[in-house]
Amino acid sequence: MSADIGLIGLAVMGENLVLNMESHGFTVAVFNRTTSKVDEFVNGRGKGKKFIGAHSIADLVKSLKKPRKVMLMVRAGEAVDDNIEQLAPHLEAGDIIIDGGNSHFPDSNRRMRELEAKGLLFVGAGVSGGEEGALKGPSMMPGGSHAAWPHVKPIFQAICAKVEDGSPCCDWVGEEGAGHFVKMVHNGIEYGDMQLISEAYHLLKSVVGLTNDELHKVFDDWNKGDLDSYLIEITRDIFSRKDDDHPEKHVVDLILDVAGQKGTGKWTVMAAADMAIPLTMVGEAVFARCLSALKDERVAASKIFPGPDSHWRGDKQAFINSVRDSVFASKLVSYTQGYLLMKAAADEFKWNLNYGGIALMWRGGCIIRSKFLGKIKDAFDANPKLQNLLFDPYFQDKMKACQKGWREIVAAGVLNGIPLPGISAALAYYDGLRTERLPANLLQAQRDFFGAHTYERVDQPRGQFFHTNWTGRGGHTASTTYNA
């Protein structure tokens, strides 16, 4: 028996992915650095199924059909390079190495170039959906050596999630590290979505005083409308879960308010800063997690810093509806910013990204899967050169409908001392985008005053730069004009 594909790394994601592959008719060879894990799997969850257990990389490679396809499901970073270094000498020209972990896209850019120089092919595939998605159908975002796609496509599109019409939530993304870049943006948007939902929870619990049972009902209602999504769905279910040891208490109330993060949100923000894209929603979501980690400082500050003496009075259902609108509008801003970042990366790295196709890949299987991703695909199908998602007629109408409640919620957060970094940052972006003349003219005057950095003028063509001797003592020599 020979295997259709090999996989290295039998942790949670790897183990569930190979079970998924085998259930779709593929024979899979498996290897793990701790070889006892291979035996445990083959004799456990994989017993009686089409798996080949390998106790060395050489044995793994020998069991594979040509061109050999080996998928790495190991920790991002050094572990990927170590495995590639051990694996490559056993392969021959045309064989394919697939990195299915959460690798940083510059590493995937480099790995593709290095492996192609050796005659090997590389695929950097973003995989989203967690443990359940890996087993039942993840969203997959492959990029890298295009010559590898016909060989991995039948496997990937068989095991991935499908939307209502059967379309697979997996397609070729682009060259080099494009797959991992799109997965990185996905993860950044995931940070933003989770932050918005958490802010909605904070408002509804602290301002309106909703109980967990009432919150369950609210999120259940939201999941039947525009906010229909995986994260809203699981949030609904979280509010109904009681603790096993203390059945009178809800689990959510027993969890420490300190958020963890693995770094992909930070990578997204860093990439946005490098490409000058205002990814404000994701940035605030990352920093909100950082602030949550300062638990001791927050406890101390809560005892010495007074907040507003405000007691909310109003229509509860109207407030709930406004929170819903603010979450939806802010979510649209977050996705808009994410797509602007992908467009900037495509321009910089000469990638040919299919933006509607990316929305389809995210439509099922992944953590950010939601109903309105279909509307994003529709927008790019109607206008593949769409400059900004918010310019699409459907999203224009949605923003108009949400605007009143969105502004009321930001004001309510300020008046009641509830931090809303995500919702308020999204509104600030929207207002900045719709403002024809921002105060950056003053900022440029300041830069020119202290550093002779020059400025453009409204009465002269773009691209011409001027300097003013503001003090009469600075002379007329200007600084070199450039954007960092």
Side-chain angles (χ1 to χ4, degrees):
M1 183 170 64
S2 57
D4 299 296
I5 188 170
L7 184 136
I8 297 175
L10 288 173
V12 171
M13 288 293 288
E15 186 173 293
N16 283 287
L17 269 178
V18 295
L19 286 166
N20 186 348
M21 292 174 185
E22 195 275 343
S23 72
H24 283 86
F26 300 103
T27 299
V28 188
V30 295
F31 173 74
N32 197 77
R33 184 179 61 178
T34 305
T35 54
S36 60
K37 178 72 174 171
V38 176
D39 297 330
E40 290 172 13
F41 173 73
V42 171
N43 296 314
R45 294 180 77 190
K47 188 172 183 178
K49 298 179 179 177
K50 299 186 294 294
F51 291 110
I52 300 173
H55 286 178
S56 70
I57 286 178
D59 288 342
L60 179 84
V61 172
K62 287 176 186 176
S63 70
L64 298 174
K65 298 174 185 175
K66 295 183 180 181
R68 303 174 184 92
K69 299 171 284 294
V70 183
M71 189 168 190
L72 306 177
M73 293 300 295
V74 299
R75 185 185 296 273
E78 188 177 345
V80 177
D81 287 319
D82 288 346
N83 275 278
I84 289 175
E85 185 177 348
Q86 296 173 51
L87 181 60
H90 297 280
L91 302 176
E92 59 188 43
D95 287 345
I96 303 162
I97 295 177
I98 306 159
D99 175 15
N102 263 337
S103 289
H104 200 192
F105 77 93
D107 290 335
S108 297
N109 289 348
R110 168 181 57 81
R111 288 167 185 148
M112 191 197 85
R113 292 192 292 267
E114 291 174 352
L115 288 171
E116 286 192 346
K118 298 176 181 178
L120 301 174
L121 302 177
F122 174 80
V123 174
V127 180
S128 178
E131 178 181 357
E132 182 179 2
L135 181 63
K136 298 181 179 179
S139 168
M140 303 185 74
M141 297 151 258
S145 306
H146 194 268
W149 178 231
H151 302 289
V152 301
K153 178 180 179 179
I155 300 175
F156 282 10
Q157 291 197 338
I159 68 170
C160 72
K162 311 294 188 298
V163 294
E164 291 85 352
D165 65 359
S167 300
C169 296
C170 171
D171 204 349
W172 189 250
V173 174
E175 304 77 6
E176 296 185 324
H180 277 134
F181 189 93
V182 169
K183 175 58 163 52
M184 179 192 75
V185 174
H186 163 285
N187 286 12
I189 290 173
E190 178 185 308
Y191 272 59
D193 279 359
M194 294 170 72
Q195 178 63 29
L196 293 173
I197 292 169
S198 297
E199 290 176 19
Y201 160 60
H202 199 175
L203 281 163
L204 296 174
K205 182 180 177 69
S206 298
V207 177
V208 184
L210 296 191
T211 65
N212 288 325
D213 290 338
E214 290 172 321
L215 287 164
H216 171 87
K217 176 64 169 61
V218 166
F219 277 81
D220 185 53
D221 290 341
W222 288 1
N223 201 48
K224 297 169 184 172
D226 287 334
L227 284 173
D228 177 3
S229 65
Y230 173 72
L231 285 170
I232 293 290
E233 178 185 322
I234 67 167
T235 303
R236 174 201 67 193
D237 296 343
I238 285 168
F239 287 126
S240 64
R241 187 68 163 86
K242 297 291 186 68
D243 185 61
D244 292 337
D245 297 325
H246 305 280
E248 75 282 3
K249 297 180 180 179
H250 288 83
V251 175
V252 68
D253 295 329
L254 300 173
I255 298 175
L256 184 68
D257 59 322
V258 173
Q261 51 187 322
K262 289 189 174 181
T264 50
K266 179 180 72 175
W267 289 348
T268 316
V269 175
M270 291 168 64
D274 287 341
M275 297 178 197
I277 298 299
L279 199 79
T280 54
M281 254 297 312
V282 179
E284 290 297 341
V286 170
F287 291 129
R289 293 195 188 193
C290 296
L291 182 59
S292 80
L294 303 178
K295 179 65 175 179
D296 292 342
E297 289 93 327
R298 290 191 290 113
V299 170
S302 70
K303 294 176 170 54
I304 58 176
F305 295 152
D309 184 16
S310 179
H311 301 284
W312 179 83
R313 295 179 184 85
D315 185 297
K316 182 184 288 188
Q317 188 57 51
F319 189 88
I320 291 171
N321 292 344
S322 292
V323 174
R324 178 201 60 207
D325 289 348
S326 69
V327 171
F328 186 72
S330 300
K331 184 182 175 85
L332 293 185
V333 166
S334 183
Y335 282 72
T336 295
Q337 294 177 346
Y339 266 84
L340 289 172
L341 178 57
M342 289 190 287
K343 289 170 75 72
D347 290 342
E348 178 166 332
F349 298 110
K350 305 298 185 288
W351 295 338
N352 183 26
L353 301 184
N354 179 349
Y355 301 107
I358 290 168
L360 179 63
M361 287 179 230
W362 292 349
R363 184 70 179 84
C366 67
I367 303 302
I368 65 170
R369 60 184 183 264
S370 63
K371 177 181 177 180
F372 97 112
L373 279 161
K375 297 296 185 181
I376 294 180
K377 185 178 187 305
D378 292 344
F380 281 107
D381 285 348
N383 180 8
K385 297 181 184 283
L386 184 63
Q387 182 181 2
N388 183 302
L389 262 182
L390 298 183
F391 293 174
D392 176 76
Y394 171 83
F395 293 120
Q396 286 184 46
D397 290 343
K398 285 295 182 182
M399 295 302 272
K400 289 175 185 174
C402 291
Q403 186 174 167
K404 181 175 183 292
W406 194 10
R407 295 186 186 283
E408 289 173 350
I409 288 306
V410 171
V414 173
L415 292 173
N416 289 276
I418 304 297
L420 302 176
I423 293 173
S424 59
L427 180 58
Y429 170 84
Y430 174 75
D431 281 339
L433 183 66
R434 65 170 193 81
T435 301
E436 183 177 353
R437 184 168 172 82
L438 289 167
N441 55 318
L442 177 58
L443 190 150
Q444 283 297 89
Q446 293 168 333
R447 294 180 72 239
D448 190 55
F449 192 110
F450 66 68
H453 292 299
T454 73
Y455 51 84
E456 295 174 276
R457 295 177 62 100
V458 297
D459 57 355
Q460 298 295 330
R462 290 295 307 269
Q464 293 186 23
F465 293 86
F466 302 87
H467 168 61
T468 293
N469 181 359
W470 297 90
T471 64
R473 302 184 299 275
H476 297 284
T477 302
S479 176
T480 303
T481 299
Y482 64 93
N483 286 315

